[in-house]
């Protein structure tokens, strides 16, 4: 039985409305006649829509088995997306590309009816300045996320979030966000209590990963982070410029490649008890280590300047 479908809204509507029989190969390899609109579509697990003509005309109970939803908006507003997604009771993953987030809609009704999303991808979208916004559907989704990938969202400033947002996040990938100067604040980083992997790549204006905020002498424990990758960040000068105390008890893999201005990891006290090397490429086995992380980063910078 068909489990994955890629189409546009108008074509899908025609399929749903069709009463014609189609021959579909079953699990035993034999062809059998089925009604696409009544037998196939309700059993789909993955749906990719290229545009959204007439989506309000779909029956609310049509997409109950959908687990993965991919939408490509062609710079259209997101205002209609989340009401539509509420129909997907088993939804696990969402990918939204080429949308305009200027009008991120507020939550309406019972937000609990929105399926707990575990994986979210946001790509090449306009006017997405902050991932979290109070009382928005997008903000509500964040609290259940395990994986968040953001790529090519050039208006994104940083990952401002509430204390309850992103608390279940284990993987964070950010790339090609050209207006972003820092990724998170210390308070946001402290709330990423499940974060195990962070990758930041090709953000040309990013000068630091963690920006300064409030008390510069606080201790920040990133308890579960095991892998940190910083790649092609041409303006990056440090992981954090403040005098915070950073503790990374589980960090085992650090990749720093094509970060020509990176002079020091952090200004304050730094603890990385399990880290034994800094990889200079995630493709090749090229690495360095000189007594501790800050000294290693400083040595790599000196070598770049002298080369």
């Amino acid at each position: 039985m068909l489990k994955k479908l890629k189409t546009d809204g108008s074509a899908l509507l025609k399929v749903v409305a069709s009463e014609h029989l189609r021959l579909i190969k079953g699990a035993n390899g034999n062809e059998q006649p089925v009604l696409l609109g009544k037998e196939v579509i309700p059993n789909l697990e993955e749906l990719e829509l290229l545009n959204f003509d007439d989506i309000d005309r779909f029956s609310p109970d049509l997409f109950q088995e959908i687990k993965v939803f991919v939408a490509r908006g062609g710079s259209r507003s997101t205002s209609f997306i989340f009401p539509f997604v509420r129909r997907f009771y088993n939804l696990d993953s969402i990918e939204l590309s080429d949308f305009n987030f200027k009008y991120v809609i507020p939550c309406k009704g019972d937000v609990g009816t929105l399926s707990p999303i575990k994986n979210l991808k946001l790509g090449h979208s306009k006017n997405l300045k902050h991932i979290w916004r109070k009382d928005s559907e997008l903000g509500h989704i964040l609290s259940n996320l395990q994986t968040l990938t953001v790529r090519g969202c050039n208006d994104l400033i940083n990952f401002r979030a509430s204390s309850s947002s992103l608390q279940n996040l284990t993987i964070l990938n950010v790339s090609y966000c050209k207006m972003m100067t820092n990724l998170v604040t210390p308070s946001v980083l402290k709330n990423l209590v499940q974060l195990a992997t962070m990758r930041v790549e090709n953000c040309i204006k990013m000068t630091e990963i963690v920006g300064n905020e409030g008390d510069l002498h606080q201790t920040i424990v990133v308890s579960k982070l095991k892998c940190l990758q910083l790649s092609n960040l041409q303006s990056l000068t440090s992981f954090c410029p403040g005098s915070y105390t950073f503790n990374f008890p589980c960090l085992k893999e650090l990749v720093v490649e094509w970060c020509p201005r990176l002079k020091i990891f952090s200004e304050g006290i730094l603890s990385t008890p399990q880290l034994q090397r800094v990889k200079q490429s995630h493709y090749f086995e090229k690495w360095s280590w000189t007594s501790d992380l800050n000294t290693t980063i400083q040595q790599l910078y000196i070598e770049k300047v002298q080369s």
Side-chain angles (χ1 to χ4, degrees), residues 205-252:
K205 291 188 177 182
M206 185 169 290
T207 57
E208 67 241 7
I209 303 300
V210 182
N212 284 331
E213 175 192 62
D215 181 10
L216 298 181
H217 300 289
Q218 61 182 299
T219 297
I220 301 172
V221 180
V222 192
S223 59
K224 294 191 176 182
L225 187 67
K226 295 180 180 180
C227 175
L228 174 62
Q229 179 178 323
L230 307 174
S231 300
N232 200 19
L233 303 173
Q234 298 297 314
S235 301
L236 190 72
T237 58
S238 67
F239 180 82
C240 181
S243 301
Y244 305 99
T245 295
F246 280 99
N247 186 358
F248 298 90
C250 294
L251 185 62
K252 293 183 178 181

Side-chain angles (χ1 to χ4, degrees), residues 183-198:
L183 182 63
V184 294
T185 61
S187 59
V188 171
L189 184 61
K190 290 172 73 173
N191 288 322
L192 298 178
V193 293
Q194 300 296 329
L195 188 66
T197 300
M198 179 191 293

